[in-house]
DNA sequence: TAATTTTTTGAAATGGATTTCATTTTGGAA
DNA sequence: TTCCAAAATGAAATCCATTTCAAAAAATTA
């Protein structure tokens, strides 16, 4: 008996008594084929369980209908804290791609340089790339923009960027947070976050801006301090916050953390030191991850809509692939006020 | 000027004054080519920024070196609660695949039936499939096992399963939880979880088993009750728990929730009703998601090692792809005891 | 040096779907 | 009924890397 080989288009053509091109056209709903023929071919194809060979198809069409999504798991893994926000964003992107019938190739930059990631497109494995986070490699991304590789980035949006970025309006987010804390009558402010990340830095700037505007209005009794961290992680935030409450300087009564994860860490550290939230300290986080709603106390947070974000990233990437140059976009942020502030 | 076209192997061959096969061999480190020739070809290739066309390659070799990972985002999305565990598992799988130089095609069953997912392999888009969760479609999976599609599943491990599954030892996990709660001297037990999921059901069985063993030993004053939920979500768990504390029957003093998310919901509901954890009620969760450590109170939980799980899933899938039939495996679970119990 | 073996190299076939362009068939007009 | 335009179909070329197998070159032996 002959070895069972997957059916090819040629096989179906033979079985349906038509030619290869006709099968191709029938399957692709081309108007160049009679309704009758199409139905017949489709029948034969389904009866024999034919599935098209996507590799052959991709080779012929130069389009892969596949998008590479680059997501840095590794940094998360090491801390054993995965900011769920990025995963939700991935879900958003996944859904948007699904709607457009695009496959999603998930890549980890840990295993390949941005440089080599770029070749994912030239190698036709994917038509374009979505970077979920700059991952501190902005220079690489800028370099990548020089080469004709279609890609978009979730991250900080700045006018000078040579590539298309989508991100929440971090400045506005920080601004909102500060306004809210000011409304609570707080006066000793602390920002927590790794300002090496452009996004985080913008949050801080918005925060500072709102405070300094107020400086003029109110008799300036505002204290602003910073706590820079090397990473997003819960652990780092917790340690830093614990140090801080032990320290000599006056303990802040209003904290804006650049992520909900960090906010939770800080609250936990403060509580351990006998301070209570929100009585002694108001805390505002960022991202409004699912857990925030259920934290104790429920966390006030700046929300970014991952659904919209995902759809937007995909939409813009599609434009880029078609050779057009999509504009960067900042997404409105919204302050979700809960008990922590 | 001619349109700039991506360089093909033929171009490189011409530029290097060798033939196409030689280029192919040089790039693939075949021993059939002189060291000198190889170096020369490599030089030319890198100088002209040549990248291989993976589609052509995949077409020729029948192996795609790509694994499809099926992950149901949608159920998570709707609840706006994404159990981070599954994402961590994804990270584990991603890493394991990266180490083996396999691409990861992320698929969402929402957009395609399991049936059609199966054709991902026959269409040569992927060599095999990893299902991250049965997603309540066990029948489909069983049907898929009939067809010669290499796949493995993260989920319940049962001897009768016609496919290879990897999962934590859910029975043991439940058993451990019960033992622990018994050790605390608790007597009114409650299990919370959607027993439609085989995994969850096993957790419940282990839980019950440990309790009934004790029944004999201790003067049986144990109350065991169940709370079945339609989904994993925080919201559903919270509502159910709120109902329960209002209800007439004696409130349990020991709860085993089938997920950390549910555990958190329950704690929050109980606390809202004036009960305190762990004084009035001990609570044990499952998965030991990152947030559990930082919850208030920190959550006792049954831990599953996502790293090991990811590696194992990949390893077994590779075997399956090679035509061998890998065994299912249960992973040891470990109880991480924290303040909630 | 001639003959033989071993090592390198290349021409052509292969994988499977799509597209171009020519050919056949059909429908309508004359 | 004949002829022309339109529609449907098919033969062959194409996409690009790999493999087979034959040929050429180099190394070895007689």
């Amino acid at each position: 008996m002959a070895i069972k080989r997957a059916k090819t288009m040629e096989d179906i053509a033979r079985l349906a008594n038509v030619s290869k091109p006709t099968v191709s056209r029938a399957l692709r709903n081309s108007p160049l084929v009679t309704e009758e023929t199409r139905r017949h071919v489709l029948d034969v194809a389904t009866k024999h369980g034919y599935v098209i060979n996507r590799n052959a198809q991709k080779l012929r069409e130069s389009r892969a209908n596949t998008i590479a999504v680059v997501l840095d798991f590794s940094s998360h893994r090491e801390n054993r804290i995965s900011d769920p926000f990025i995963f939700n964003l991935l879900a958003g992107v996944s859904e948007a791609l699904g709607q457009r019938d695009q496959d999603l190739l998930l890549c980890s930059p840990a295993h390949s340089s941005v440089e080599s990631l770029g070749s994912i497109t030239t190698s036709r494995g994917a038509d374009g790339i979505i970077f979920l986070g700059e991952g501190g490699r902005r220079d690489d991304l800028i370099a990548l923009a020089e080469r004709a590789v279609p890609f978009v980035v979730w991250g900080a949006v700045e006018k000078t960027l040579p590539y298309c970025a989508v991100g929440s309006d971090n400045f506005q987010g920080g601004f909102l947070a500060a306004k809210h804390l000011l409304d609570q009558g707080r006066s000793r402010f602390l920002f927590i976050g790794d300002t090496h990340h452009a996004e985080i830095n913008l949050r801080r700037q918005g925060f500072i801006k709102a405070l300094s505007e107020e400086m003029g209005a109110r008799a300036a009794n505002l204290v602003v301090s910073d706590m820079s961290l090397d990473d997003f992680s819960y652990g780092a935030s917790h340690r830093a916050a614990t140090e801080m409450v032990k320290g000599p300087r006056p303990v802040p009564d209003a904290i804006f953390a650049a992520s909900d994860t960090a906010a939770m860490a800080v609250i936990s550290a403060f509580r351990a030191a006998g301070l209570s939230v929100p009585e002694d300290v108001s805390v505002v986080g960022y991202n409004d991850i699912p857990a925030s709603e259920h934290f104790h106390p429920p966390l006030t947070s700046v929300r970014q809509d991952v659904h919209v974000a995902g759809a937007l990233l995909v939409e813009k990437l599609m434009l880029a692939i078609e050779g057009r140059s999509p504009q960067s976009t900042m997404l409105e942020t919204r302050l979700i006020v809960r008990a922590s502030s």
Side-chain angles (χ1 to χ4, degrees), chain A residues 170-183 186 189 202-218 222 224 256:
Chain A
N170 291 291
F171 187 92
Q172 183 216 15
F175 195 90
L176 285 176
K179 276 284 184 216
H180 172 70
L181 290 169
L182 282 165
D183 287 350
R186 302 295 179 168
F189 296 86
L202 284 168
R203 289 174 201 171
R204 180 175 174 281
Q205 282 173 29
F207 186 68
I208 302 283
K209 181 74 190 322
L211 295 182
S212 53
E213 277 183 4
E214 192 73 2
M215 292 276 195
R218 261 203 234 175
L222 300 175
V224 181
F256 173 41

Side-chain angles (χ1 to χ4, degrees), chain A residues 145 200-201 254:
Chain A
I200 308 285
N201 202 33

